[in-house]
């Protein structure tokens, strides 16, 4: 990533409307998510973004649900399609991981259908014992 972009962990920087459009209109994991639900997710999480330094427009987003002590769930990671391929996703993930490094979390988990290569560069691996993990699927628009 070049110096035309900056990472931020400041929730005040988040362009909530843009993030909502990305997640509700372009993501495969939460199509149709309401603005109220997205705002509640932002408010209940730690949020991160990458921004164009000239225009200050947000070009990427991620949020983390965590207890801040033992576990974190990295989710809603999205890079604007117009800037993909510039290393912005990698910088976003590395920035997030740097923010959490001082906490000494035992585990940071995520789920992805198509970005295994991006996450593996940052040390993520497939579940070591997947048969111990379970899930309960609830509201599909969540």
């Amino acid at each position: 990533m070049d110096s035309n972009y900056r990472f931020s962990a400041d929730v005040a920087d988040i362009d909530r409307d843009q993030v909502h459009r990305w997640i509700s209109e372009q993501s495969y994991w939460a199509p149709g998510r309401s603005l109220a639900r997205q705002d509640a997710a932002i408010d209940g999480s730690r949020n991160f973004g990458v921004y164009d330094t000239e225009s200050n427009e947000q070009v990427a987003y991620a949020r983390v649900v965590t207890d801040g002590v033992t576990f974190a769930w990295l989710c809603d990671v999205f890079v604007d399609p117009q800037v993909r391929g510039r290393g912005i996703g990698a910088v976003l993930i590395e920035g997030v991981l740097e923010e959490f490094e001082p906490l000494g979390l035992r585990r940071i988990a995520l789920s992805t259908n198509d970005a295994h290569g991006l996450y593996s560069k940052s040390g993520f691996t497939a579940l070591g014992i997947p048969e111990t993990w379970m899930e309960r699927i609830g509201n599909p628009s969540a």
Side-chain angles (χ1 to χ4, degrees):
M1 186 173 84
D2 59 42
S3 61
N4 293 328
Y5 300 97
R6 68 176 177 83
F7 172 83
S8 174
D10 187 347
V11 71
D13 288 342
I14 300 298
D15 181 340
R16 288 174 179 251
D17 290 332
Q18 179 62 63
V19 168
H20 175 251
R21 281 190 298 276
W22 284 335
I23 303 301
S24 69
E25 297 172 12
Q26 297 182 46
S27 78
Y28 63 79
W29 61 89
R33 182 182 285 172
S34 72
L35 178 59
R37 186 168 281 259
Q38 182 62 46
D39 280 343
I42 289 171
D43 293 340
S45 305
R46 291 188 56 185
N47 299 269
F48 307 91
V50 176
Y51 303 84
D52 182 298
T53 55
E54 231 176 80
S55 67
N56 209 33
E57 288 181 29
Q58 187 166 359
V59 297
Y61 173 75
R63 70 184 180 91
V64 176
V65 180
T66 184
D67 61 9
V69 180
T70 63
F71 181 82
W73 180 266
L74 174 62
C75 53
D76 286 349
V77 178
F78 195 92
V79 177
D80 188 317
Q82 295 180 13
V83 298
R84 289 182 187 162
R86 299 183 190 176
I88 292 168
V91 170
L92 176 63
I93 300 308
E94 287 305 312
V96 169
L97 294 177
E98 285 177 20
E99 289 287 320
F100 283 92
E101 186 65 30
L103 300 180
L105 300 176
R106 177 177 170 90
R107 177 176 287 116
I108 299 176
L110 63 86
S111 177
T112 184
N113 283 355
D114 59 1
H116 297 81
L118 169 68
Y119 297 114
S120 66
K121 291 176 186 174
S122 296
F124 286 90
T125 61
L127 292 174
I129 309 172
E131 59 273 10
T132 66
W133 286 78
M134 296 179 72
E135 69 179 348
R136 180 177 179 269
I137 303 297
N139 184 342
S141 66

